[in-house]
Amino acid sequence: MGDSAGGNLAAAVSQRMKYNDPPLLAQVLVYPAVQSLNLQLPSYTAYNGDWLMPMFLSYFMGSVDSSLSYAMLHGSHVSDRVRQLYSKYVDYRKLPKSFRKGYVAPQVIKTDLVAAKVLEPFITNPEINPLLSEDLKGLPDTMLLTVGIDALRDEGVLYAIRLQEAGIPVQYLHYEDGRHGECPLGSDSGPASVTFRMNSDIFKFIRNRVSATLVSP
């Protein structure tokens, strides 16, 4: 289980261990960061996600380069070949209509060859960008949560869709009134809060998965 960057790590670990014996019981992904191919999805443009992925990639690369960040934010950080190969996994047209209302997809701009050379090994690595994994079969039952006010909303939805397409049982819940970072486990927020509702739903999912395992022959 993990949220945001932790959701990225949880998704990556689940993919690495999908043929583990014994298998993973489940994965819980809370507004996970699962791709850095397209930082111009509707939720990025609507909720000022400019800082998220450059900072996220800097974690893996160990440094922050403003020119690389600029290329990422403007979509020039990958070659046409990589874009064409993986764009089917980050297709905004698969999002609910309400999520893309008023959205106009930006024009593709010329590739920054220096940025692409540096970033493409990270962009195409499914252990950094789990949404771009070519094979999602064999993953455990999944709970995936997104919130309305969050730059990561759309990629979470797209990952849930891809998991479902791969035949993975997915419980997807969206909290339209929620914000990124609103799900600290153990919070004492009141029962009407988004945090309380998210925690309650997570605990229920985990309890049901554990119970189902205990009663299995």
Side-chain angles (χ1 to χ4, degrees):
M1 174 180 171
D3 70 297
S4 192
N8 169 276
L9 297 175
V13 168
S14 292
Q15 289 193 20
R16 177 178 285 194
M17 298 182 65
K18 64 181 180 179
Y19 298 119
N20 196 56
D21 186 18
L24 293 176
L25 180 63
Q27 62 174 340
V28 178
L29 309 176
V30 182
Y31 34 76
V34 288
Q35 66 88 31
S36 50
L37 176 71
N38 185 351
L39 277 67
Q40 297 175 312
L41 290 170
S43 60
Y44 270 96
T45 59
Y47 299 114
N48 192 28
D50 290 3
W51 58 276
L52 281 169
M53 283 299 107
M55 291 296 292
F56 175 66
L57 266 189
S58 73
Y59 173 79
F60 291 96
M61 298 177 63
S63 65
V64 178
D65 186 318
S66 59
S67 65
L68 297 182
S69 296
Y70 181 89
M72 291 180 68
L73 296 173
H74 291 81
S76 62
H77 61 306
V78 293
S79 64
D80 291 340
R81 181 190 66 83
V82 167
R83 186 179 292 108
Q84 292 169 4
L85 184 63
Y86 293 103
S87 61
K88 60 186 176 182
Y89 301 144
V90 196
D91 186 350
Y92 76 91
R93 293 171 295 184
K94 293 183 178 181
L95 297 169
K97 289 183 178 180
S98 60
F99 286 7
R100 47 189 168 92
K101 183 178 180 180
Y103 174 71
V104 178
Q107 293 185 340
V108 176
I109 64 175
K110 184 178 179 180
T111 299
D112 181 330
L113 297 178
V114 174
K117 182 178 180 179
V118 173
L119 294 173
E120 281 188 353
F122 296 90
I123 302 298
T124 59
N125 184 344
E127 293 200 346
I128 299 176
N129 292 271
L131 176 59
L132 305 188
S133 175
E134 294 184 8
D135 181 13
L136 298 180
K137 294 179 180 179
L139 287 170
D141 291 7
T142 300
M143 179 181 222
L144 198 152
L145 312 181
T146 59
V147 290
I149 306 172
D150 184 11
L152 299 179
R153 178 197 67 190
D154 294 347
E155 59 197 75
V157 177
L158 293 171
Y159 195 49
I161 291 172
R162 283 213 62 209
L163 290 168
Q164 291 169 336
E165 291 174 344
I168 309 303
V170 177
Q171 182 177 348
Y172 169 68
L173 296 176
H174 178 68
Y175 306 80
E176 182 60 30
D177 54 340
R179 295 175 177 269
H180 188 87
E182 202 158 14
C183 186
L185 291 178
S187 170
D188 58 358
S189 301
S193 70
V194 174
T195 299
F196 184 92
R197 286 184 279 131
M198 294 178 80
N199 285 336
S200 296
D201 290 335
I202 291 170
F203 293 146
K204 182 179 179 180
F205 173 79
I206 294 174
R207 183 174 63 247
N208 289 342
R209 289 300 303 126
V210 171
S211 298
T213 302
L214 292 176
V215 299
S216 296

